[in-house]
Amino acid sequence: MFLNWGAEVFKWKLLANYMMPVSYKLATKSTLAGVAASVFTPFRVGTYFGKAAMFPHKYRAKGLILQLFNSIAMFEVNFFFGLLFIGILGTVASEPIFGIDKDLLSTIGFIGAGMVLVFWYLFVNVRVLLSTFDKWKITSNWRKYFDLVNDKRYTNLSLTLIFVSVARYLIITYQYVLAYEVFGVGIEGWETFVAAGTLFFVFQFIPVFNAVEFGVMRTTLLSLILTTFGLLEELTPQITLSITLASFFIWLINLAIPSLIGSVFLSQIKVLKES
């Protein structure tokens, strides 16, 4: 948990320093406030407002834009590994997946992962895309919020965001491997790793309210992934219980505890606004 959120705090501090000097203490408060705000909103959109709200009022608009860059980096990492793992699962499946030929699904996964690498390149070289902002009046006023990309340090920053996002992704995924071992799900570590990565990919398209999810949706999706791709021959009550306990434990560690701490920091918003 500390490695997971520590990586997120590190990324957020790097970004936030582009608008004002930010200590690790403030970056931590802002990050956890974002977690607290996100658990009650679909697709975790509250993260943007929770993080930005911890800064003085004049910096909040730019804070939203900076969080957009942060989210895009993690989003692209999720997409890359999710599609890659779907490709891998297609190679080990023994029958069609939801009516789709397993070889075709595997090919789609691998090609999709390759296409995401193109978006990684565009993320690093986003200055090319933002030049179009000046061509339309409706977007020209937004250009001032994207000064970050004109900084000479942006290339190194964007690469750091991607690499740290990859590290964080691997940490979160490995948590499932550890939890499945502890609760005795009974599958190989690499199978858990790949299934969890596929879960993260699917999870991005589901408007889940994490505050009341308790890991139930994760249990359902993981059970479906494991059985559909043949990683589990039979979903027994014992295995279902083990997956449920593991999913709840990860939900508790990664979301419940950080959001409770973050809710305390959210109470400071009015004080910060007055300053």
Side-chain angles (χ1 to χ4, degrees):
M1 179 180 69
F2 289 110
L3 288 174
N4 172 22
W5 290 114
E8 182 62 22
V9 169
F10 176 75
K11 287 196 301 174
W12 184 233
K13 183 180 185 297
L14 287 179
L15 281 165
N17 272 327
Y18 271 84
M19 62 180 179
M20 59 176 284
V22 175
S23 64
Y24 274 108
K25 181 178 180 180
L26 179 56
T28 300
K29 287 183 176 182
S30 180
T31 298
L32 294 178
V35 178
S38 72
V39 296
F40 293 101
T41 55
F43 301 111
R44 299 188 183 183
V45 295
T47 301
Y48 292 82
F49 303 100
K51 280 188 171 181
M54 293 301 297
F55 294 112
H57 191 267
K58 64 180 180 179
Y59 294 115
R60 290 179 184 176
K62 186 168 287 189
L64 293 174
I65 301 300
L66 293 175
Q67 176 55 26
L68 177 63
F69 279 91
N70 190 23
S71 296
I72 289 175
M74 198 69 204
F75 184 80
E76 290 180 343
V77 169
N78 275 331
F79 252 71
F80 172 75
F81 282 106
L83 290 168
L84 177 65
F85 291 159
I86 288 175
I88 293 174
L89 287 175
T91 63
V92 300
S94 57
E95 57 186 34
I97 308 300
F98 300 117
I100 303 175
D101 180 78
K102 65 184 186 67
D103 293 328
L104 175 60
L105 183 65
S106 182
T107 301
I108 293 173
F110 289 135
I111 292 177
M115 291 177 63
V116 174
L117 294 179
V118 176
F119 287 97
W120 283 17
Y121 173 81
L122 292 175
F123 180 71
V124 175
N125 297 277
V126 70
R127 189 181 309 173
V128 177
L129 297 177
L130 290 182
S131 62
T132 60
F133 273 41
D134 299 325
K135 297 181 180 180
W136 293 287
K137 186 176 181 180
I138 192 173
T139 57
S140 60
N141 291 330
W142 302 352
R143 193 66 173 82
K144 61 182 179 180
Y145 294 112
F146 290 88
D147 290 339
L148 168 66
V149 301
N150 292 322
D151 193 290
K152 295 180 180 178
R153 298 171 295 170
Y154 175 74
T155 299
N156 290 333
L157 172 68
S158 59
L159 289 172
T160 301
L161 289 177
I162 290 177
F163 287 134
V164 177
S165 294
V166 169
R168 186 183 175 217
Y169 180 93
L170 297 177
I171 290 168
I172 298 172
T173 310
Y174 188 63
Q175 285 181 323
Y176 280 83
V177 177
L178 295 176
Y180 272 36
E181 289 181 358
V182 169
F183 291 101
V185 175
I187 62 175
E188 296 292 333
W190 75 267
E191 296 175 329
T192 303
F193 195 87
V194 172
T198 306
L199 166 71
F200 301 150
F201 175 76
V202 175
F203 224 62
Q204 294 179 106
F205 303 100
I206 302 177
V208 176
F209 289 85
N210 287 292
V212 294
E213 191 259 332
F214 298 109
V216 174
M217 182 60 71
R218 290 169 174 78
T219 299
T220 303
L221 292 176
L222 278 169
S223 299
L224 181 63
I225 292 169
L226 293 172
T227 54
T228 300
F229 287 95
L231 301 180
L232 277 177
E233 294 183 2
E234 182 182 5
L235 196 63
T236 65
Q238 179 61 44
I239 293 177
T240 301
L241 177 60
S242 297
I243 294 175
T244 302
L245 291 173
S247 297
F248 173 77
F249 183 72
I250 291 175
W251 172 86
L252 181 68
I253 292 296
N254 280 344
L255 289 173
I257 294 176
S259 65
L260 284 175
I261 299 173
S263 64
V264 176
F265 299 140
L266 280 176
S267 65
Q268 303 176 12
I269 290 178
K270 290 183 178 180
V271 176
L272 289 175
K273 184 175 181 179
E274 290 172 357
S275 63

